[in-house]
């Protein structure tokens, strides 16, 4: 057994959260959910954190729900009431997906190995996904009689379009990191040897950028799904009105004019 279900590390302003149940490919139990929830809350509240990296220990990123967890395992006793799997979604997966989407800092999924079921969709809900070339993505739900959750039905068609979303979700085939990059499902696939460096470099870059503008960019892109073009233009105008008076804008322009690197501090 691991000492801790979630490892928490910090390099500069980058907080790294490592799912740490490698014997079951970091599948989720209620206890792991609770630890991850607390760690995300702590990162959100800590102004010294400007980027969160989510990754997995061992050879997997996350295999979704731990199917051996008695809280979700089907009750096979004759006449037994069916297990309410929806409870796990409402209690854990929906809050987790929403928390990641509303973090006050960018969230980078560093997919080190297989990401299956809710594990895949939690990764896809992060702002950037970098995968090691040996990693893979599986919408494993159809194989066990479920539908994609943890945001999958929303994320997949928006990331790759309806045709690919349905293919991935219905067939549940393993998609290599390279295929995922080619489809536009993820930001980048990198060689295993350079994976850790690429993750740290990208996370540090994100941490050095104007955090509040990055987070507003995420929200604006998500909001644009429900807006017409003219409404999106107006929304952008409102946002720029706010950001134009913020310290980071003054600093960004001053740094550009002085030909020096900017030091963004708003959070
Ligand atoms: O159910 C609810 O509560 C609702 C919520 C649902 C959300 C979901 O995420 S549903 C989807 C759940 N996940 C899956 O169905 C994926 C199950 N796992 C797999 O299909 C395969 O393990 C993988 C394709 C991910 C990887 O295959 P492979 O061959 O590389 O590894 P493996 O040998 O299958 O797994 C290694 C070990 O991890 C193995 O244990 P062992 O035999 O060495 O003791 C395996 O049982 C364990 N493991 C992998 N995934 C899970 C798991 N144990 C529990 N739950 C898992 N999800």
């Amino acid at each position: 057994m691991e000492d801790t279900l979630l490892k928490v590390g910090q390099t500069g302003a980058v907080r790294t959260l490592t799912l740490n149940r490698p014997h079951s490919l970091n599948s989720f139990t209620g206890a792991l959910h609770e630890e991850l929830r607390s760690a995300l809350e702590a990162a959100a509240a800590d102004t010294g954190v400007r980027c969160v990296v989510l990754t997995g220990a061992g050879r997997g990123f996350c295999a979704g729900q731990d199917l051996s967890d008695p809280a979700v395992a089907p009750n096979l006793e004759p006449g037994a009431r069916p297990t309410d799997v929806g409870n796990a979604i409402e209690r854990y997966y929906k809050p987790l997906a929403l928390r990641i989407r509303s973090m006050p800092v960018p969230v980078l999924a560093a997919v080190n190995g297989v990401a299956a079921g809710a594990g895949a969709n939690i990764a896809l809900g992060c702002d950037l996904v970098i995968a090691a070339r040996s990693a893979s993505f599986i919408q494993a739900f159809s194989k066990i009689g479920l539908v994609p959750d943890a945001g999958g039905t929303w994320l997949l068609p928006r990331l790759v379009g309806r045709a690919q979303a349905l293919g991935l979700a219905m067939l549940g085939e393993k998609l290599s990191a390279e295929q995922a990059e080619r489809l536009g499902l993820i930001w980048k696939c990198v060689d295993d040897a350079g994976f850790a460096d690429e993750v740290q470099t990208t996370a540090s870059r994100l941490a050095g950028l104007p955090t509040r503008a990055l987070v507003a960019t995420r929200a604006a892109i998500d909001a644009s799904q429900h807006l017409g073009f003219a409404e999106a233009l107006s929304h952008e105008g409102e946002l720029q009105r706010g950001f134009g008076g913020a310290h980071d804008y003054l600093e960004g322009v001053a740094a550009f004019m002085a030909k020096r690197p900017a030091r963004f501090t708003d959070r």
Side-chain angles (χ1 to χ4, degrees):
M1 267 302 174
E2 300 82 19
D3 292 340
T4 163
L5 302 174
L6 186 78
K7 289 191 283 187
V8 180
Q10 179 103 10
T11 306
V14 177
R15 175 77 48 93
T16 299
L17 308 180
T18 305
L19 306 175
N20 190 33
R21 302 186 69 236
H23 62 280
S24 67
L25 304 177
N26 305 312
S27 58
F28 277 113
T29 57
L32 175 54
H33 271 291
E34 299 292 353
E35 289 204 18
L36 182 55
R37 189 196 312 236
S38 302
L40 287 169
E41 290 308 329
D46 185 341
T47 53
V49 174
R50 295 174 61 88
C51 177
V52 167
V53 174
L54 183 62
T55 193
R59 74 175 178 90
F61 172 75
C62 174
Q65 172 62 40
D66 184 326
L67 296 172
S68 68
D69 187 339
V72 298
N75 192 337
L76 303 175
E77 293 295 315
R81 286 174 57 185
T83 310
D84 188 345
V85 172
N87 278 342
I89 305 302
E90 284 300 321
R91 184 164 176 196
Y92 295 123
Y93 291 99
K94 181 178 169 189
L96 173 57
L98 288 174
R99 177 69 277 194
I100 288 173
R101 208 76 176 178
S102 64
M103 283 294 281
V105 298
V107 183
L108 168 58
V111 179
N112 53 301
V114 64
N121 293 336
I122 289 299
L124 298 179
C126 294
D127 296 316
L128 294 189
V129 184
I130 298 180
R133 199 166 298 279
S134 62
S136 54
F137 296 82
I138 310 176
Q139 294 296 319
F141 308 91
S142 63
K143 292 183 179 155
I144 55 169
L146 295 179
V147 300
D149 59 26
T153 60
W154 192 92
L155 292 163
L156 290 171
R158 283 168 172 80
L159 290 167
V160 296
R162 183 175 189 272
Q164 293 291 335
L166 282 171
L168 293 173
M170 287 186 169
L171 298 174
E173 285 172 6
K174 186 183 276 196
L175 194 70
S176 71
E178 266 175 44
Q179 290 171 308
E181 182 191 56
R182 234 179 288 129
L183 274 182
L185 191 69
I186 64 169
W187 168 239
K188 205 180 254 192
C189 156
V190 295
D191 287 337
D192 289 19
F195 175 68
D197 281 352
E198 179 72 28
V199 167
Q200 201 52 50
T201 302
T202 307
S204 299
R205 274 183 62 201
L206 286 168
L209 288 165
T211 306
R212 286 186 50 230
L214 299 188
V215 169
T217 301
R218 172 213 291 148
I221 284 180
D222 287 350
S224 75
Q225 319 275 350
H226 313 289
L227 301 179
F229 188 53
E231 290 170 306
L233 288 167
S234 301
H235 187 213
E236 289 168 2
E238 284 162 30
L239 289 170
Q240 299 301 46
R241 189 166 294 122
F243 282 106
H247 170 270
D248 277 353
Y249 175 63
L250 305 182
E251 165 62 9
V253 174
F256 175 77
M257 300 307 285
K259 300 189 187 305
R260 63 166 173 80
R263 286 182 298 274
F264 296 112
T265 52
D266 288 350
R267 218 213 85 170

